[in-house]
Amino acid sequence: MEERLEAGVVTGRSGTELAPKSHITRAEVAAIVQRLLQKSDLI
């Protein structure tokens, strides 16, 4: 998981917490997808 964190695609709820068992909002999903596409040079 550390490689993905270092890539900056998933940032978590705060600077130190990912909260993997909590629900995710549409806005959080949209932000993750946007960062993933940007890191992949697709947008």
Side-chain angles (χ1 to χ4, degrees), residues 11-25:
T11 57
R13 295 287 165 96
S14 69
T16 59
E17 179 183 56
L18 280 179
K21 292 185 178 183
S22 64
H23 294 283
I24 190 168
T25 67

Side-chain angles (χ1 to χ4, degrees), residues 34-43:
Q34 180 182 22
R35 286 192 296 266
L36 180 61
L37 291 172
Q38 287 172 336
K39 296 282 183 181
S40 302
D41 290 326
L42 295 173
I43 60 171

